[in-house]
Amino acid sequence: MLALFFYIGVLAPKDMSAAERENRELKPMPAFNAETVFSGTFSKDFEDYLADNVGYRSFFMDISAKIDALKGIKTESGKIVSANKDLGTGVQGENQLLILSDRVMEVYKKDDAARDAYIQSLNGYAETLPESVRMFSMLVPTQIEFYEKQTVADSEKDTIDTIYKNLNDRITTIDAYSALKAGRDEYIYFRTDHHWTQRGAFLGYSAFCKAAFSKTPNLSDYKEHSRDGFLGYLYNQANDVSLASHADSIEWFEKGENVKVEARAFEDGKFVDYETKMYTVPLLSEKPKYSLFMGGDHQFAKMHTKNTNGKTLLVIKDSYANALLPLLTEDYETILVIDPRNYYGKVTDLISEYNVDDCLFINYVFTTTFSDFVDKLNEVK
């Protein structure tokens, strides 16, 4: 049995399909040197590496989902099931899903301690970053907040309002909530995934433009595209075959060039540079994925746009930002993107190196319930 577990955990081939299903990068092999070993970071990061790269990860995820599905509880809102939540490398927990006839949604449960830690983290950035850098915070609610029949989730608006109220005065808050509430009858959230659609992201972009530039963008200025057949992360977590008949469409909006994305990752103890596009459109024979936006999550990414205004934006984000980032290319010459869940550098170094003008923190509200995410946010400061 020990030999079998060693094979599955260490020797078996990496399950690349797990990364596609979870819409994120798997933990790379950490650097092995005296500093990482004696500081204890190697052992911690190596445990995360093993957890992410265990052989047949998708198979074990399916078994876990089937077991959890048997525990479902019927309520007036719909069927409630438990699921393992993975916000990214090293950031894990358990949450509940609400399954309806045509969609599945995460059930939001507030965490006051993690919320307060999130506030302290952003305020710490406000005290650290140069005064010349404009700071913005956008917290995005999920679709369960606007589903009036549900009775199982806590108020996401209360959490967002509390955080915004207690942020440092130099941080401009972006009211994506009101924009999404006004457009809740549109196709702004996926039925089988926890992300917003790009139509929803456009509402968030409009709220950002209003706060940052006092302008209102027009969706009719963009060329609209759409692909059918998308089954998202929550579909796999819920393991309810009835949801397959309600597959999503992925929309994306283009205005000008499909900007090149220069990305960098730290893998197997070394830096790896690669390129993708802000829209990685799948072949007609392929099923669309959320990674259509920006090619998925990257530890570090940089975009050079058609603009010549000299403005640079730094985005510190979770995967909700991926559908928003292509829209932001209208306003900046350079956009830098980091994912604190697995970024290897320091924000202050980026600010100095690229002469950053604006810094945007964008997360969906569930992020404020994970203290591990806040720890990662603090580590890269």
Side-chain angles (χ1 to χ4, degrees), residues 8 36 102 128 153 169 177 195 210 226 283 369:
I8 293 175
T36 60
D102 68 337
T128 302
D169 289 341
Y177 187 99
H195 295 103
K210 180 180 179 180
S226 180
L283 300 174
T369 68

Side-chain angles (χ1 to χ4, degrees), residues 236-284:
N236 292 305
Q237 289 289 294
N239 197 40
D240 190 319
V241 294
S242 67
L243 294 170
S245 60
H246 301 285
D248 284 290
S249 298
I250 291 188
E251 297 178 303
W252 68 99
F253 310 122
E254 287 186 300
K255 186 179 180 182
E257 64 175 332
N258 187 1
V259 176
K260 180 176 70 175
V261 178
E262 302 172 16
R264 170 172 284 189
F266 190 72
E267 297 179 354
D268 299 326
K270 60 182 179 181
F271 292 116
V272 178
D273 293 319
Y274 56 98
E275 291 184 355
T276 184
K277 293 283 189 178
M278 68 177 189
Y279 294 124
T280 56
V281 182
L283 300 174
L284 292 176

Side-chain angles (χ1 to χ4, degrees), residues 53-322:
N53 294 278
V54 62
Y56 316 107
R57 178 179 172 89
S58 296
F59 171 75
F60 291 117
M61 287 172 59
D62 288 340
I63 291 178
S64 177
K66 290 178 181 178
I67 293 174
D68 287 336
L70 296 175
K71 303 176 183 177
I73 301 173
K74 293 284 188 178
T75 71
E76 293 181 0
S77 301
K79 181 181 178 182
I80 301 293
V81 300
S82 296
N84 292 323
K85 176 64 182 174
D86 198 326
L87 260 179
T89 303
V91 184
Q92 299 179 345
E94 182 176 295
N95 70 337
Q96 293 181 322
L97 303 179
L98 174 61
I99 301 176
L100 307 176
S101 59
D102 68 337
R103 70 188 62 231
V104 54
M105 300 180 286
E106 292 180 295
V107 177
Y108 176 73
K109 295 295 183 181
K110 67 177 182 177
D111 185 319
D112 291 346
R115 177 203 65 199
D116 292 345
Y118 185 85
I119 295 170
Q120 293 174 9
S121 180
L122 264 62
N123 285 342
Y125 274 89
E127 296 170 358
T128 302
L129 299 190
E131 289 291 337
S132 60
V133 178
R134 294 196 303 171
M135 297 181 63
F136 301 91
S137 173
M138 181 189 298
L139 282 170
V140 185
T142 66
Q143 63 176 317
I144 198 170
E145 180 74 2
F146 306 119
Y147 181 63
E148 296 177 354
K149 296 180 181 179
Q150 75 87 14
T151 58
V152 295
D154 291 334
S155 169
E156 296 179 4
K157 188 176 189 305
D158 286 349
T159 294
I160 294 172
D161 287 347
T162 298
I163 291 174
Y164 280 3
K165 180 181 178 181
N166 289 280
L167 288 180
N168 188 294
D169 289 341
R170 68 169 293 197
I171 302 176
T172 300
T173 57
I174 309 300
D175 186 14
Y177 187 99
S178 296
L180 290 165
K181 183 178 181 180
R184 63 186 180 275
D185 294 331
E186 301 180 47
Y187 189 44
I188 61 174
Y189 292 102
F190 294 113
R191 292 184 292 270
T192 63
D193 196 72
H194 59 300
H195 295 103
W196 55 3
T197 64
Q198 194 166 50
R199 189 173 294 274
F202 190 86
L203 297 177
Y205 172 63
S206 299
F208 176 77
C209 287
K210 180 180 179 180
F213 308 114
S214 299
K215 73 170 188 176
T216 303
N218 193 337
L219 190 57
S220 63
D221 294 335
Y222 294 76
K223 184 177 181 180
E224 299 185 20
H225 306 270
S226 180
R227 286 286 297 274
D228 297 329
F230 171 54
L231 291 171
Y233 172 70
L234 294 185
Y235 168 77
N236 292 305
Q237 289 289 294
N239 197 40
D240 190 319
V241 294
S242 67
L243 294 170
S245 60
H246 301 285
D248 284 290
S249 298
I250 291 188
E251 297 178 303
W252 68 99
F253 310 122
E254 287 186 300
K255 186 179 180 182
E257 64 175 332
N258 187 1
V259 176
K260 180 176 70 175
V261 178
E262 302 172 16
R264 170 172 284 189
F266 190 72
E267 297 179 354
D268 299 326
K270 60 182 179 181
F271 292 116
V272 178
D273 293 319
Y274 56 98
E275 291 184 355
T276 184
K277 293 283 189 178
M278 68 177 189
Y279 294 124
T280 56
V281 182
L283 300 174
L284 292 176
S285 59
E286 298 175 335
K287 292 289 187 182
K289 301 179 178 68
Y290 186 72
S291 58
L292 181 150
F293 303 110
M294 299 292 294
D297 290 320
H298 309 285
Q299 296 177 19
F300 170 78
K302 178 171 61 177
M303 292 188 286
H304 290 294
T305 75
K306 62 184 179 182
N307 289 313
T308 57
N309 57 20
K311 292 183 178 180
T312 298
L313 170 69
L314 171 61
V315 179
I316 303 174
K317 59 87 175 180
D318 61 24
S319 58
Y320 247 65
N322 294 1

